[in-house]
Amino acid sequence: MGQVTVVDDGDHFYVWDTYADGHGVRGYLTNSAGTTLATAYDGSGADSTIAHFQYDVKEGVTYWIKVGTVDGASDTTPSNVWEYSYYE
């Protein structure tokens, strides 16, 4: 599994793998319609490096942050997806 952390100053999103299981993780930012707005992949192993994306989050809009296990950077079918809402 992985984790996504948000730094509000500049709207930076950091994604990293937290479990040494041979899989990578992908973090996503989606809108309320489920459209992916930004994403980052970390396949370098548990707790080794941190992937990053930036997105201009608008005040008063609800977004969804998701993180899931993937098998490589091109895997578009994450498993063990964890998600939560986010807004400014």
Side-chain angles (χ1 to χ4, degrees):
M1 190 35 89
Q3 188 169 345
V4 177
T5 298
V6 180
V7 176
D8 189 41
D9 185 17
D11 296 329
H12 295 271
F13 297 78
Y14 297 94
V15 179
W16 69 95
D17 195 343
T18 58
Y19 188 66
D21 59 0
H23 302 282
V25 295
R26 180 172 298 283
Y28 303 83
L29 181 69
T30 67
N31 62 19
S32 60
T35 303
T36 299
L37 305 172
T39 182
Y41 168 73
D42 178 13
S44 60
D47 296 325
S48 59
T49 63
I50 298 174
H52 168 262
F53 64 85
Q54 188 173 11
Y55 186 83
D56 185 17
V57 172
K58 306 297 184 196
E59 188 173 335
V61 177
T62 299
Y63 299 89
W64 287 91
I65 295 173
K66 302 178 182 184
V67 62
T69 303
V70 292
D71 289 322
S74 62
D75 184 358
T76 60
T77 57
S79 62
N80 303 318
V81 177
W82 184 76
E83 62 184 88
Y84 61 96
S85 62
Y86 175 76
Y87 57 91
E88 279 190 328

